[in-house]
Amino acid sequence: MYDDQTGSPAVSQHFQQDCCIVGGGPAGMVLALLLVRQGVRVTLLEAHEDFDRKFRGDTIHPSVLEIFDQIGLSDTLLQLQHSKIYGPTLRAANTSFNPFDFRRLNTKFPFIMLVPQSKFLDFLSREANKYEEFDLRFSSKVESLIDENGTICGVRYMGRDGVHEVKTPVVIGADGRFSTVRERAGLVPIKTSPAMDILWFELPHLPEDAASNRVLGGFGMGRVLAVFDRFDHWQVGYVFPKGTYQQVRSEGLESLRNSIAAIEPRFTKHVASLTDWHQFSLLSVESSFCPKWYRPGLLLIGDAAHVMSPVGGVGINYAIQDAVAAANVLGEYLKTRSTSIEDLARVQRRRQFPTKLIQWLQTAVQKRVLTRALGSTTATTIPLFVRLLFAIPIVRDLPAKLLAFGFRREHVRNVGQSPKVVATAANGAGLH
Ligand SMILES: Cc1cc2nc3c(=O)[nH]c(=O)nc-3n(C[C@H](O)[C@H](O)[C@H](O)COP(=O)(O)OP(=O)(O)OC[C@H]3O[C@@H](n4cnc5c(N)ncnc54)[C@H](O)[C@@H]3O)c2cc1C
């Protein structure tokens, strides 16, 4: 559909909502669920046609499980097929050791739940869809903001049948690391860590493989391997110095297979399945932080506001903590359509300190441990004093606590109401 006079796509519909969330990732979906529970009318626009997507991490941390416990949904969440991670195992040329274990923590959920992100997002959508206030629109890619005298009052998106507008007092940009909302709002992130590259790929589970309740961090010669057990296959990240992907490619698949098997000898047979570069996806790892997360009528949360380094795998946790903080601060005001820029600023103030702190820590680990290991031309070893240090309970429990809960654990302030039975929820007709 195009406008006869301008030649540009015609805006065919527009509707008013209390809040429009752009992006159906963990941040956007959790915020939507918490808001509709408070009676806020939410439209959520997701560019993809469903939640099925490339691997982007499957980790649900103890602090997130506690959030679902507060709203009475932890049992339902834990019914999804999942595995439990009790901690990391570090392997180097001289040793293999478990630096810490979540089971020592004082929490109802002393583990990281590993569940495919698509299943987690489906679960959130099913729960939110029990509320008539929830309006989820797939295949809806936001292209521009509606700006009236410097105040954002809606978005324009390309849907399956043309361009639409959503008018709303507050737009939430939860559209991830390449956020269109952030870019259109003129909010510019700054880089916060040195870059490195990761090749992600899958290896098959072989009949002789035992299930693993630990994430493996393996150190080889200038390479680091991260391995997660995903029930029917292994998800593997192969980390190497930034800008050397062409070198990795030119050395060939045989060399890559050997390098993986050298770090993790258990995979000597598995690597035979790696026969084509299409089996790998390259991720350039950079973390960033937006100095300002808001403008009148607009707030960024999750990766849109701060891309986290993969060190420690905390991106999903921090995105969800932002969502809880935003729901706590904004819920009541959104319902009465009286949100001010000061309320939006409060969300950033609450979340920026823990985010900056964890990013600082990630950068320190990246520089002191990873960059050193990646720059090494000899086999990496773990010094004895490190192992001795982690034998001290207070030292051992500190990283476990930080990973499990982050620097500031958010609690749902308004746990909301029970769902009204929505006729469309049962048959999924509420999904567009
Ligand atoms: C390969 C990889 C592995 C990772 N592993 C881990 C891990 O193990 N643990 C961990 O905690 N984190 C991990 N992360 C990071 C984690 O994925 C992110 O931190 C987290 O998903 C951020 O959530 P979010 O909701 O802010 O953004 P996202 O999950 O990126 O969601 C953004 C959503 O917005 C949609 N969108 C984008 N643009 C538009 C638009 N214009 N209009 C409408 N919709 C739009 C996207 O389709 C997407 O669904 C990993 C990331 C990658 C890439």
Side-chain angles (χ1 to χ4, degrees):
M1 267 173 287
Y2 287 87
D3 187 299
D4 289 345
Q5 279 164 9
T6 64
S8 52
V11 177
S12 55
Q13 259 187 39
H14 101 226
F15 41 95
Q16 298 267 349
Q17 286 293 41
D18 297 335
C19 174
C20 174
I21 299 174
V22 183
M29 287 303 297
V30 169
L31 178 59
L33 174 61
L34 295 177
L35 289 178
V36 295
R37 289 175 69 93
Q38 294 183 52
V40 177
R41 289 181 304 145
V42 173
T43 286
L44 191 148
L45 303 172
E46 167 53 49
H48 283 90
E49 60 184 16
D50 55 31
F51 291 124
D52 214 2
R53 56 203 58 191
K54 273 190 183 164
F55 174 71
R56 287 195 320 201
D58 296 338
T59 49
I60 314 254
H61 284 62
S63 52
V64 173
L65 288 163
E66 286 181 356
I67 286 165
F68 284 98
D69 204 39
Q70 284 163 40
I71 57 174
L73 293 179
S74 58
D75 289 343
T76 323
L77 176 56
L78 285 163
Q79 276 165 19
L80 300 180
Q81 192 192 11
H82 68 279
S83 45
K84 293 183 175 65
I85 297 283
Y86 295 118
T89 296
L90 299 183
R91 182 164 306 154
N94 61 333
T95 187
S96 172
F97 90 118
N98 299 338
F100 58 82
D101 197 305
F102 293 121
R103 282 170 291 192
R104 287 177 49 84
L105 297 181
N106 182 17
T107 168
K108 193 171 165 189
F109 309 102
F111 53 84
I112 289 179
M113 176 187 184
L114 272 195
V115 62
Q117 200 178 107
S118 59
K119 301 280 183 249
F120 176 53
L121 296 174
D122 273 336
F123 155 80
L124 292 169
S125 148
R126 267 195 312 277
E127 290 303 324
N129 211 36
K130 291 177 182 166
Y131 296 82
E132 60 198 5
E133 289 84 358
F134 185 54
D135 170 34
L136 169 61
R137 291 169 183 257
F138 283 119
S139 302
S140 301
K141 189 172 188 328
V142 167
E143 298 187 328
S144 59
L145 303 173
I146 304 171
D147 184 331
E148 284 176 8
N149 305 318
T151 297
I152 306 303
C153 51
V155 297
R156 255 176 229 110
Y157 70 92
M158 178 62 82
R160 289 192 187 109
D161 54 350
V163 181
H164 300 262
E165 277 186 355
V166 184
K167 287 293 199 77
T168 175
V170 177
V171 171
I172 306 281
D175 50 343
R177 60 183 58 204
F178 305 112
S179 172
T180 302
V181 171
R182 181 183 66 211
E183 196 262 320
R184 299 288 192 267
L187 300 171
V188 184
I190 46 177
K191 289 193 174 37
T192 54
S193 80
M196 57 187 183
D197 285 337
I198 304 187
L199 275 181
W200 285 102
F201 55 94
E202 295 177 4
L203 290 175
H205 253 209
L206 299 182
E208 61 268 31
D209 289 347
S212 173
N213 283 323
R214 305 198 72 86
V215 178
L216 173 81
F219 293 84
M221 280 199 279
R223 303 286 186 258
V224 175
L225 209 62
V227 181
F228 301 84
D229 187 353
R230 297 180 91 202
F231 333 119
D232 54 351
H233 65 271
W234 301 97
Q235 183 73 46
V236 187
Y238 182 81
V239 189
F240 51 97
K242 176 81 189 157
T244 59
Y245 175 61
Q246 282 316 322
Q247 187 191 328
V248 173
R249 285 271 318 225
S250 66
E251 285 166 3
L253 272 174
E254 182 61 20
S255 163
L256 181 56
R257 283 192 292 262
N258 291 341
S259 167
I260 296 162
I263 303 173
E264 178 46 295
R266 263 191 313 165
F267 286 161
T268 308
K269 271 200 213 165
H270 304 63
V271 291
S273 67
L274 298 172
T275 54
D276 192 311
W277 287 102
H278 288 114
Q279 290 169 269
F280 299 86
S281 48
L282 177 68
L283 175 73
S284 177
V285 174
E286 285 171 351
S287 66
S288 64
F289 186 88
C290 246
K292 200 167 170 206
W293 300 10
Y294 60 90
R295 273 187 53 179
L298 179 142
L299 174 71
L300 303 177
I301 60 169
D303 272 18
H306 47 74
V307 178
M308 310 302 268
S309 145
V311 173
V314 296
I316 296 169
N317 189 14
Y318 272 69
I320 291 176
Q321 301 293 327
D322 286 358
V324 176
N328 283 344
V329 173
L330 303 180
E332 278 307 308
Y333 300 114
L334 287 171
K335 223 159 56 177
T336 53
R337 296 181 154 238
S338 58
T339 321
S340 69
I341 187 158
E342 180 49 29
D343 304 321
L344 304 175
R346 270 170 58 209
V347 179
Q348 171 171 357
R349 275 204 299 278
R350 181 153 182 92
R351 293 303 309 157
Q352 71 179 0
F353 174 68
T355 308
K356 276 186 168 169
L357 215 51
I358 198 85
Q359 286 194 327
W360 172 82
L361 202 64
Q362 288 178 311
T363 303
V365 172
Q366 210 172 311
K367 279 186 181 156
R368 301 234 157 77
V369 183
L370 285 178
T371 310
R372 202 170 288 176
L374 296 177
S376 163
T377 49
T378 54
T380 304
T381 53
I382 298 174
L384 179 64
F385 84 87
V386 172
R387 282 176 280 155
L388 291 177
L389 203 63
F390 275 94
I392 304 168
I394 195 164
V395 175
R396 193 166 57 201
D397 292 346
L398 198 64
K401 268 188 198 150
L402 273 181
L403 271 187
F405 307 123
F407 276 107
R408 175 177 273 159
R409 221 183 314 185
E410 300 293 343
H411 299 275
V412 181
R413 206 174 294 154
N414 182 345
V415 292
Q417 54 195 348
S418 301
K420 297 172 197 122
V421 179
V422 184
T424 53
N427 56 18
L431 306 180
H432 298 265

